[in-house]
Amino acid sequence: MKEMVMSHQAIEITCADLGQKLTTLLKNEEKLPLFICVMKGAMPFMVDLLKYVSVPLLEDYVQLESYSGTQSTGIVHLKRDITTPIDGRSVIVVEDVVDTGLTMTFLKEHLLSLGKPKRILICALFDKKIARKVDVQVDFTGRVLTENKFLLGYGLDYNGLERNTPYVYVPTEEEVKALDDLLKTKAI
Ligand code: IMP
Ligand code: MG
């Protein structure tokens, strides 16, 4: 049996709650705030979250990679960069899950090398606080996870699979095996 972590309905409620908090925070910005989606995992979350952020804003995307299978490799690659100038803006990084913290540390440093934002805030659907290798503060969190389990669905993937599942769950070993079989037979 699948272990449900966040149902489709709970995701919607979480996005509404975070969106309202961000709306309050960003009401009186001098420059348009910039929301940066960390691809590919945070794409569904970005789309749903922004439905509930009712201030004028800009969107951009970075693509970062550090995972292989169910493990972080510890090395972060920047595969696609933003094109929007960030000087003087509030920058809100939208992430699916903060795990070791390496990706967010890398991205913050990278953004600071591109310009002088007013501030950089992190909004993550999940925070695996216990898995941290480097200290990163998540400013807006959907849910803090107290156990270090590998999650799938709603953007979270296993070698590219399962991003299109509309809820978040912990896969069983059999489910991971079935995904491996799919990758071996149908992904090539
Ligand atoms: P960090 O650099 O270790 O904090 O990892 C962050 C990235 O790893 C996230 O953007 C996710 O793409 C990926 N990740 C971390 N935990 C999981 C998980 O449980 N399932 C799928 N991807 C994960
Ligand atoms: Mg990610």
Side-chain angles (χ1 to χ4, degrees), residues 38-42 64-66 95-97 103-104 155-157 163:
V38 183
M39 294 202 295
K40 301 172 186 170
L64 297 169
E65 259 182 34
S66 66
E95 175 63 310
D96 48 10
V97 47
T103 303
M104 285 303 97
L156 293 157
D157 74 306
R163 294 192 198 276

Side-chain angles (χ1 to χ4, degrees), residues 3-4 25 55 59 88 90 110 117 131 135 138-139 151 159 161 165:
E3 180 187 330
M4 182 67 82
L25 181 87
V55 293
E59 294 176 35
S90 288
H110 173 66
D135 189 31
V138 181
D139 303 281
L151 311 174
N159 289 331
L161 292 177
T165 300

Side-chain angles (χ1 to χ4, degrees), residues 10-21 23 48-49 52-53:
I11 289 170
E12 204 66 32
I13 292 167
T14 304
C15 289
D17 175 51
L18 292 171
Q20 274 152 21
K21 286 181 179 145
T23 301
D48 287 338
L49 175 70
Y52 298 101
V53 182

Side-chain angles (χ1 to χ4, degrees), residues 38-42 64-76 94-106 126 128 131-134 136 145 148-153 155-159 163 168-169 171:
V38 183
M39 294 202 295
K40 301 172 186 170
L64 297 169
E65 259 182 34
S66 66
Y67 251 62
S68 174
T70 62
Q71 297 293 322
S72 170
T73 60
I75 303 157
V76 185
V94 179
E95 175 63 310
D96 48 10
V97 47
V98 179
D99 184 27
T100 62
L102 291 167
T103 303
M104 285 303 97
T105 303
F106 174 93
F126 295 104
K128 286 189 194 171
R132 279 301 195 288
K133 287 189 180 151
V134 285
V136 174
L145 299 170
N148 192 1
K149 290 185 176 173
F150 182 69
L151 311 174
L152 281 184
L156 293 157
D157 74 306
Y158 177 73
N159 289 331
R163 294 192 198 276
V168 180
Y169 68 99

Side-chain angles (χ1 to χ4, degrees), residues 1-138:
M1 261 281 282
K2 271 187 179 48
E3 180 187 330
M4 182 67 82
V5 177
M6 202 181 272
S7 68
H8 184 61
Q9 196 192 7
I11 289 170
E12 204 66 32
I13 292 167
T14 304
C15 289
D17 175 51
L18 292 171
Q20 274 152 21
K21 286 181 179 145
L22 285 160
T23 301
T24 307
L25 181 87
L26 300 169
K27 248 182 199 143
N28 298 308
E29 294 287 288
E30 231 167 82
K31 278 194 170 189
L32 292 174
L34 175 67
F35 281 71
I36 300 178
C37 172
V38 183
M39 294 202 295
K40 301 172 186 170
M43 285 182 79
F45 178 43
M46 173 92 158
V47 170
D48 287 338
L49 175 70
L50 291 190
K51 289 191 282 187
Y52 298 101
V53 182
S54 44
V55 293
L57 56 85
L58 298 173
E59 294 176 35
D60 211 330
Y61 301 84
V62 282
Q63 190 175 351
L64 297 169
E65 259 182 34
S66 66
Y67 251 62
S68 174
T70 62
Q71 297 293 322
S72 170
T73 60
I75 303 157
V76 185
H77 296 282
L78 177 70
K79 300 191 87 179
R80 183 203 188 276
D81 207 349
I82 57 164
T83 54
T84 315
I86 59 171
D87 279 343
R89 294 186 203 288
S90 288
V91 171
I92 300 91
V93 174
V94 179
E95 175 63 310
D96 48 10
V97 47
V98 179
D99 184 27
T100 62
L102 291 167
T103 303
M104 285 303 97
T105 303
F106 174 93
L107 183 57
K108 269 192 162 177
E109 273 171 26
H110 173 66
L111 292 173
L112 291 171
S113 78
L114 295 179
K116 280 204 181 94
K118 175 178 160 188
R119 54 186 165 182
I120 301 175
L121 300 168
I122 297 174
C123 176
L125 184 58
F126 295 104
D127 186 353
K128 286 189 194 171
K129 266 197 176 141
I130 45 156
R132 279 301 195 288
K133 287 189 180 151
V134 285
D135 189 31
V136 174
Q137 188 202 330
V138 181

Side-chain angles (χ1 to χ4, degrees), residues 170-183:
V170 178
T172 60
E173 264 178 47
E174 293 74 47
E175 282 170 328
V176 174
K177 254 187 222 138
L179 293 173
D180 270 330
D181 285 344
L182 261 180
L183 287 163

